[in-house]
Amino acid sequence: MPEIRVTPLGAGQDVGRSCILVSIGGKNVMLDCGMHMGYNDDRRFPDFSYITRNGRLTDFLDCVIISHFHLDHCGALPYFSEMVGYDGPIYMTHPTQAICPILLEDYRKIAVDKKGEANFFTSQMIKDCMKKVVAVRLHQTVQVDEELQIKAYYAGHVLGAAMFQIKVGSESVVYTGDYNMTPDRHLGAAWIDKCRPNLLITESTYATTIRDSKRCRERDFLKKVHETVERGGKVLIPVFALGRAQELCILLETFWERMNLKAPIYFSTGLTEKANHYYKLFITWTNQKIRKTFVQRNMFEFKHIKAFDRAFADNPGPMVVFATPGMLHAGQSLQIFRKWAGNEKNMVIMPGYCVQGTVGHKILSGQRKLEMEGRQVLEIRMQVEYMSFSAHADAKGIMQLVGQAEPESVLLVHGEAKKMEFLKQKIEQEFRVSCYMPANGETVTLPTSPSIPVGISLGLLKREMAQGLLPDAKKPRLLHGTLIMKDSALKELGLAEHQLRFTCRVHLHDSRKEQETAARVYSHLKSLLKDHCVQHLPDGSVTVESILIQAAAHSEDPGTKVLLVSWTYQDEELGSYLTSLLKKGLPPAPSGGS
Amino acid sequence: MAAHLKKRVYEEFTKVVQQQEEITTKKLRLTKPSKSAALHIDLCKATSPADALQYLLQFARKPVEAESVEGVVRILLEHYYKENDPSVRLKIASLLGLLSKTAGFSPDCIMDDAINILQNEKSHQVLAQLLDTLLAIGTKLSENQAIQMRLVDVACKHLTDTSHGVRNKCLQLLGNLGSLEKSGTKDAEGLAIRDVQKIIGDYFSDQDPRVRTAAIKAMLQLHERGLKLHQTIYNQACKLLSDDYEQVRSAAVQLIWVVSQLYPESIVPIPSSNEEIRLVDDAFGKICHMVSDGSWVVRVQAAKLLGSMEQVSSHFLEQTLDKKLMSDLRRKRTAHERAKELYSSGEFSSGRKWGDDAPKEEVDTGAVNLIQSGACGAFVHGLEDEMYEVRIAAVEALCMLAQSSSSFAEKCLDFLVDMFNDEIEEVRLQSIHTMRKISNNITLREDQLDTILGVLEDSSRDIREALHELLCCANVSTKEGIHLALVELLKNLTKYPTDRDSIWKCLKFLGSRHPTLVLPLVPELLSTHPFFDTAEPDMDDPAYIAVLVLIFNAAKSCPTMPALFSDHTFRHYAYLRDSLSHLVPALRLSGRKLVSSAVSPNITPHEDPSHQFLQQSLERVYSLQHLDPQGTQELLEFTIRDLQRLGELQSELAGVADFSAAYLRCQLLLIKALQEKLWNVAAPLYLKQSDLASAAAKQIMEETYKMEFMYSGVENKQVVIIHHMRLQAKALQLIVTARTTRGVDLLFGMCEKFLQEVDFFQRCFIADLPHLQDSFVDKLLDLMPRLITSKPAEVVKILQTMLRQSTFLHLPLPEQIHKASATIIEPAGESDNPLRFTSGLVVALDVDATLEHVQDPQSTVKVQVLYPDGQAQMIHPKPADFRNPGPGRHRLITQVYLSHTAWTEPCQVEVRLLLAYNSNSRIPKSPWMEGGEISAQAETSIEGTIPFSKPVKVYIMPKPTRR
């Protein structure tokens, strides 16, 4: 039986370094190629040696698909293609293709220039790697080779995030990447048609969470900012350059516009400006509102949000500043934080999760005095707020997607094992489909029952249709006809061909030895069948095309030789002709008289 | 040669005679043979199918008269039989359908032919088209049972066709023509009526989605025609909800809704359990599930239908707003719940802490239901949807459901408040309106009020005003809430001063609804001090006025409140009561003589003495007819003065009073004009005096136009009187002209015109003539034959005597009459800074005005701009610039483009609103004018305009262009 095999190299019962190998219909596809944030050693990249110990990866993989530009989904790509060595096609959407190299370069800078790591990929490698990328559009069916085709669906999450359907023949797998089922201020909700794949590989970050309405959070956020600004305070919002930052910008921008506010909003320069440029460009990937109004005004051309300069931090009066990085552990956001922390009128809003040990985590857990370097103690009087803006589907969203796609089975990745367990149980219960959650390196094998297309002649079909009057989908209809199978069907089913052979014994009066009889038969047939291939095999048998003739001595009468003629069903004509020929007997040998 | 000539003459002669004959015969006859014949010739000429198609297309562009339809149909059918090309046959079939729809043509004669050709047709497309034609025929002959049966039979026969198009049309035919009677009964011919429902139901499982959709649509059509659908359809329809195609799902949702309305109380089992629930609840649950469908078309459909399912049990309804939150498998409270708790614990929000929303108790993993079975959270999803169409539909549905259930209204409040923050303005506006509609059922909590008030800063005027309206009818629970609202409204006032009126109005209602909550706030609001006198606030400060409006309206039903006022407050009250009487109610201030309490406020409208006064004074005028002219004039003058004053005092009687006063004024003018000495003096001497009489005539004309078009609620009996008055004015004008001008030509024309007017009057108001006994017109019509034949001078003489003899007609008062009025809010006309622009270019001026009691403002209200050089410009606002915030009220928000050549210094232009009228537009409505020969252009053209708003001056300065 044919099967689909799935092996996560990363993201199996884990978040980070997403990398999943899928073998489907004899094709091998790698889904995502990410790095892990938590490690700085070899573990940060997936173990590509699993694919092949020695030998080129290109020979083993048919293609690589990247779902979106987050580093835990594409961070290992230059390492994989340039350092390990892969020359095949890499598929991603246009926005991903545009933004991915910026993030990779940024990542490289931090790793090499700041941490001084050696044996890391270079800028040139990123460039070379991106040359292998093939960009795809939404809902465009891309033919990777003659059998393998892929198709992208909108996934929300971040700009350019996509879900991919991988299809070989009638078997298909859908990989969701990260997705979001509720729309936000700049992106729409993920959508997929009823494609009924054999397997749906879905992320499960929030497998055990049902989230509250987004509107409450937005309203809270806006109110906090508005109140602080009205008081004359300053608001610091530490963000990462891409994704949530843009959503918050749009949110504040429209609010400022609506409420006619005048306080300035700043955004730290550099990486962000470049990224905003791409947001402006890929309007078709954004949500309904932005798509519909961009003719009048592109929402990403911010009116109220200006580039930040270091000197602005000391300006009097209210302002809002977005600054990187998001966890307040270094850089501009920390600098501004130190300046503003002493004033109780000011406020810092953490829009995302903070890793333990960072300043962000400390202040969120309620610490009001921080020890900075050089034994300085920073007293925090400013207000600290936490707002979670996350763009992953929650448990209900995941179930909704499963319901939309109607897969035969589901496989969970990109989440914690304990949480997956719950969701797995729910999926099995509600949809009555099997659900898997392999760990890294563990292989799931999924037998499939491929559908075999049967052709039917139009005439026959019409005749049958004309007989029955009413259409009735529930009742099977009996159809008389003959089913003819071709080789390919057997191969697909993995069955051996059944051979039908005819054998016939011909008695010859010949007292010579078997070899000689065979030689005589050979020469006789050779002379008669000029345009057939007649061979005398070393073991003494004679073949005419595929027909086998063996001579043996009769067990009782040594004077009689028995010729065994054997032919397949396909060579029936030639076979019967040969037997009739042999039955007439052999011509007397030239030396027969002696 | 001569013979030849003669022959030619004869030929021509006969020809002429023939033509005359043709002309005398009816025109329609003439075209009848030519139309079909021309078509016939064209079709015969056609060498290729493409040619024939062209001819048919050309033919289809012109209309065909009812008489010639049959001929054309015969020709078309004839060609149909001969035609080999399917596309031409298709066109013919479609033409047959079009023709059979012609009014006045009975298509039963072509039905046989149509069914006949249907049987021999091979092409599927043509078949579908023919069925469509049959549908057109069948709908036309909907009374004929036998034909209907026959057509249904034909449709059933073709239901097994292989083409989806044919099956579609068959189902459509069945839905439209299928018999509505119960199956089993036999009609006279013994043909069993087919069970259409069963037949259509079978096609719910057709292989083609288009046919499935058509089947559901046909079923809905049957329902619309009054057939009661079987309950068994419900189960079939439920299966279709999981169809692969969106149009099928969308139609199925409708069908389920229909069935749920038909059998709300019947019981259906829940699959995989032993329980049973009401059908309407089950259907509600199913439709709720469709709110999270993959296709937004279905989502919109589902969300819309949810609103009209009012029989749903309340616990099902409340589930739609319920979404059990959890985090890490632990139950979590929603932000709404947290806000409520915070409020009920008496603690104010202290800023959010990290982990404030930390999950509490563990959730039983088995009990969590992730797929919403039933109605769970349908609205939560609908309101968060990506497409704003879905969100609007959800808000509307929420509104409808909340109006019928107050407990649901209470629950959905939080969600509506959240929608105030939507990214699309339309959605925000819709949710504010919704909130207003349900506000009778709810009381706002402080935290909710806080959120609502946040929207007051919105830059969109529509949003702010909608919010003011919402606050007008909102119930607030605490005095802090009132204070909060006042503070926010004042903030709004400083930010957007143009909102002044709207805010004052809002505070008026806020005060009168919550007198007891305002009471404890009064000292603080008026900043009075128990011992010290505080400074007197500035009376012109809009914010101070706003506070006073709130307090005075609260004081109206709270007699203890005035005791808290300081002296200047009473003074301000007197001032405001006079200047803003619509906002400040009359207060009973005991022991104070500052305020005149002449008008007692609590009078029931029934025995309203002012109304009696109006009636009496009018009757007095009408009864005094034979007084000496001096006395009459004086009485009229006094009555007019009384009426005007009455109108000012009693706003509800203003319409009637003004209307009557205007009529009396006309009469007064007429009497005065006739009293002039000029009539007795010889012609050459009074040239200079004639001014007064002609001015009077002109003024009467103006007044009558105003009476006719500026009042809403004017009935036909008033119109007659008004027109009569106008006729008198015209007669006066004629007489004056006759006496002042030399030359007969001009007079002759005027006479002619006047007589036409009289004739027109007679035709228009023939039904009302009996009421006009003894009047000017009555006498005039008596003398009409003589007038027509007499010379102008004589006519004038007759008219003069008749005008003097004519009696004063009684003007019956209409039930409801309101004067149209307009106030321009913007531009305010107070600015000293001229609007500068380069000459030759345009500058846009925002105009914002409220219109009261204007009928059909889209076509009548115009904006006029008067430049200092006397140049006037009339601007027609777009229909979309008018909004309708309430009955009888309109709002015009538009932009006016100004332009002029360069000026040396800034100058003021006047902007005013005009009411355009056209007295001819009344005519086609009259039933005796058949055919309505007045062209559409005449109807829309403007005969004249009445200015009905105070002009506003705008300072502008066109600068010369710099080169």
Side-chain angles (χ1 to χ4, degrees), chain A residues 3-7 9 19-32 50-52 56-65 80 86 88-91 144-145 147-150 166-168 171 173 443-444:
Chain A
E3 58 192 21
I4 297 174
R5 269 180 293 122
V6 182
T7 315
L9 295 185
C19 184
I20 298 139
L21 288 177
V22 173
S23 309
I24 170 172
K27 303 284 172 186
N28 296 320
V29 179
M30 188 160 97
L31 304 169
D32 279 342
Y50 177 90
I51 305 170
T52 165
R56 295 174 60 241
L57 282 170
T58 320
D59 301 336
F60 288 86
L61 286 175
D62 290 281
C63 73
V64 174
I65 294 170
F80 166 73
Y86 168 75
I90 301 168
Y91 291 94
V144 176
D145 56 34
E147 287 160 354
L148 177 65
Q149 61 183 35
I150 60 172
I166 302 113
K167 198 169 175 186
V168 179
E171 295 163 47
V173 171
T443 304
V444 169

Side-chain angles (χ1 to χ4, degrees), chain B residues 374-564:
Chain B
C376 248
F379 277 119
V380 181
H381 286 280
L383 294 175
E384 266 191 4
D385 200 275
E386 184 185 1
M387 311 299 283
Y388 86 95
E389 291 91 340
V390 183
R391 296 200 298 267
I392 282 199
V395 169
E396 274 166 8
L398 213 54
C399 172
M400 276 151 82
L401 290 172
Q403 273 173 323
S404 59
S405 155
S406 59
S407 66
F408 183 70
E410 195 84 37
K411 289 224 156 131
C412 73
L413 204 61
D414 282 323
F415 292 89
L416 275 180
V417 172
D418 282 348
M419 295 305 285
F420 285 13
N421 227 343
D422 196 272
E423 53 194 337
I424 305 252
E425 184 174 328
E426 217 176 320
V427 182
R428 296 201 294 269
L429 204 56
Q430 182 70 38
S431 40
I432 295 175
H433 284 316
T434 300
M435 184 99 136
R436 195 191 71 222
K437 283 180 199 151
I438 63 173
S439 57
N440 292 330
N441 285 337
I442 48 172
T443 306
L444 293 173
R445 282 200 321 265
E446 223 165 285
D447 57 310
Q448 289 165 336
L449 191 69
D450 194 30
T451 327
I452 294 173
L453 292 172
V455 186
L456 276 177
E457 286 191 48
D458 202 299
S459 60
S460 152
R461 178 193 278 267
D462 284 332
I463 296 270
R464 290 198 310 268
E465 272 171 14
L467 207 67
H468 294 155
E469 298 232 337
L470 164 64
L471 286 176
C472 278
C473 44
N475 299 319
V476 182
S477 51
T478 58
K479 77 174 190 343
E480 283 81 12
I482 293 282
H483 192 241
L484 195 65
L486 180 69
V487 167
E488 291 293 329
L489 281 169
L490 292 181
K491 225 197 252 174
N492 174 357
L493 189 64
T494 41
K495 198 160 177 183
Y496 306 99
T498 49
D499 285 357
R500 201 177 64 180
D501 292 303
S502 174
I503 289 172
W504 285 349
K505 205 183 108 213
C506 169
L507 283 167
K508 174 188 168 188
F509 285 99
L510 208 60
S512 58
R513 286 177 83 97
H514 309 95
T516 48
L517 296 182
V518 176
L519 184 62
L521 290 171
V522 168
E524 189 188 341
L525 293 180
L526 291 176
S527 53
T528 48
H529 195 275
F531 310 128
F532 303 115
D533 273 346
T534 44
E536 183 174 332
D538 179 14
M539 199 50 244
D540 290 330
D541 180 12
Y544 179 60
I545 294 177
V547 175
L548 286 185
V549 166
L550 175 78
I551 292 174
F552 290 149
N553 279 288
K556 194 182 168 192
S557 49
C558 185
T560 53
M561 203 181 284
L564 298 168

Side-chain angles (χ1 to χ4, degrees), chain B residues 33-47 55 75 79:
Chain B
S34 67
K35 201 134 207 181
S36 46
L39 179 68
H40 180 68
I41 292 163
D42 279 347
L43 285 178
C44 289
K45 264 198 300 193
T47 47
Y55 287 127
I75 302 247
H79 281 275

Side-chain angles (χ1 to χ4, degrees), chain A residues 196 219 258-259 419 426, chain B residues 244 328 368 418 459 495:
Chain A
R196 299 192 173 96
R219 202 188 60 210
R258 257 178 66 198
M259 297 301 184
K419 298 180 180 180
K426 283 286 155 200
Chain B
D244 282 10
D328 264 357
V368 181
D418 282 348
S459 60
K495 198 160 177 183

Side-chain angles (χ1 to χ4, degrees), chain A residues 154 182-192 194 196 207-220 222-224 226-227 230 250 255 257-261 286-292 299 352-354 361 363-366 383-387 394-396 399-400 403-404 406 416 418-419 422-423 425-426 429-431 462 465 468-474, chain B residues 160 162 167 202-203 205-207 239 241-244 249 292-295 299 322-330 332-336 338-339 349-355 357 364-372 376-377 380-381 383-389 391 414-415 417-425 428 447 450-451 454-460 491 495-496:
Chain A
Y154 190 75
T182 45
D184 63 29
R185 287 287 170 152
H186 71 310
L187 298 173
W191 180 85
I192 196 162
K194 246 181 218 181
R196 299 192 173 96
T208 55
T209 302
I210 301 175
R211 236 175 308 136
D212 198 359
S213 144
K214 201 151 191 140
R215 297 184 183 282
C216 294
R217 267 173 290 151
E218 284 178 1
R219 202 188 60 210
D220 256 20
L222 292 174
K223 208 170 134 192
K224 295 263 155 65
H226 188 191
E227 275 171 4
E230 246 184 11
I250 287 269
F255 188 73
E257 184 92 17
R258 257 178 66 198
M259 297 301 184
N260 229 340
L261 298 178
T286 56
N287 73 4
Q288 187 195 21
K289 156 98 177 167
I290 299 174
R291 260 183 295 143
K292 291 220 164 140
M299 293 271 276
Y353 178 72
C354 289
H361 188 263
I363 59 169
L364 277 179
S365 48
Q383 294 176 55
V384 179
E385 295 288 344
Y386 171 74
M387 292 276 153
D394 64 357
K396 269 203 164 171
M399 297 297 269
Q400 208 181 331
Q404 271 182 21
E406 291 187 9
E416 290 162 40
K418 224 174 77 191
K419 298 180 180 180
F422 165 77
L423 192 67
Q425 174 204 341
K426 283 286 155 200
Q429 192 181 322
E430 306 270 1
F431 295 105
K462 278 188 173 168
M465 285 268 288
L469 286 177
L470 292 174
D472 194 347
K474 283 171 212 131
Chain B
T160 47
T162 48
R167 272 177 292 163
D202 284 340
Y203 281 82
S205 50
D206 194 277
Q207 53 171 339
K239 269 173 215 141
L241 283 182
S242 51
D243 199 278
D244 282 10
R249 292 198 302 267
S292 47
D293 189 86
S295 148
R299 293 202 298 265
D322 193 19
K323 188 179 173 187
K324 297 260 180 309
L325 300 193
M326 60 173 194
S327 168
D328 264 357
L329 284 180
R330 274 183 294 176
K332 204 172 133 181
R333 288 164 313 146
T334 62
H336 292 150
R338 260 179 280 133
S349 180
S350 55
R352 195 109 76 86
K353 282 168 254 149
W354 159 254
D357 58 343
D364 175 19
T365 47
V368 181
N369 202 359
L370 285 181
I371 280 282
Q372 58 259 51
C376 248
V380 181
H381 286 280
L383 294 175
E384 266 191 4
D385 200 275
E386 184 185 1
M387 311 299 283
Y388 86 95
E389 291 91 340
R391 296 200 298 267
D414 282 323
F415 292 89
V417 172
D418 282 348
M419 295 305 285
F420 285 13
N421 227 343
D422 196 272
E423 53 194 337
I424 305 252
E425 184 174 328
R428 296 201 294 269
D447 57 310
D450 194 30
T451 327
V455 186
L456 276 177
E457 286 191 48
D458 202 299
S459 60
S460 152
K491 225 197 252 174
K495 198 160 177 183
Y496 306 99

